[in-house]
Amino acid sequence: MREIIEWHFNPDTGCEFWLNKAKDFGFNPRKEIQKFADLRKLPHFEDDWLRGGPMRRWLPRGLAGKPMYVFETGGSTGVPKSRLQIDDFRTDYEIFSKNAE
């Protein structure tokens, strides 16, 4: 969990969205989130954050230069949501291929 917090809120590896969002928290997540219970300090994730663009706000600086793909939901619960994929589909297909035999 600490590695994930460090990745997303570190200016060298985090994405624009979380780095900007952290400015509104009133605390430094990299210092103050050290155990699972500390996650309560973060706001609830809002579905609307995934609706609309620009999608590059979600691209972690630590993955800059890698091809990115946008996956959109079908919108069954309202306006479609989008998320970035970097290597997700490759990993999924690799696991599927190993298990399809």
Side-chain angles (χ1 to χ4, degrees):
M1 179 204 67
R2 286 187 205 130
E3 289 176 19
I4 292 170
I5 294 295
E6 177 64 27
W7 173 266
H8 287 289
F9 294 102
N10 185 314
D12 294 331
T13 54
C15 68
E16 176 186 336
F17 180 85
W18 287 117
L19 295 173
N20 287 333
K21 190 61 77 177
K23 294 174 187 175
D24 298 331
F25 290 166
F27 67 92
N28 182 339
R30 294 168 63 200
K31 291 182 180 178
E32 294 193 34
I33 299 178
Q34 296 296 312
K35 56 188 180 202
F36 188 77
D38 294 338
L39 290 172
R40 292 185 189 132
K41 296 177 181 182
L42 295 173
H44 289 285
F45 192 90
E46 297 180 28
D47 284 350
D48 283 343
W49 293 346
L50 297 175
R51 293 182 165 122
M55 288 305 298
R56 287 205 173 271
R57 71 180 186 257
W58 294 103
L59 181 64
R61 291 176 179 170
L63 297 176
K66 287 194 166 229
M68 74 172 206
Y69 306 90
V70 177
F71 170 81
E72 286 192 342
T73 65
S76 59
T77 60
V79 176
K81 296 176 223 156
S82 303
R83 74 171 182 92
L84 290 185
Q85 296 185 74
I86 304 293
D87 290 320
D88 305 41
F89 72 96
R90 288 184 182 94
T91 303
D92 292 346
Y93 284 128
E94 184 178 310
I95 292 170
F96 176 77
S97 294
K98 287 180 182 177
N99 293 315
E101 298 175 3

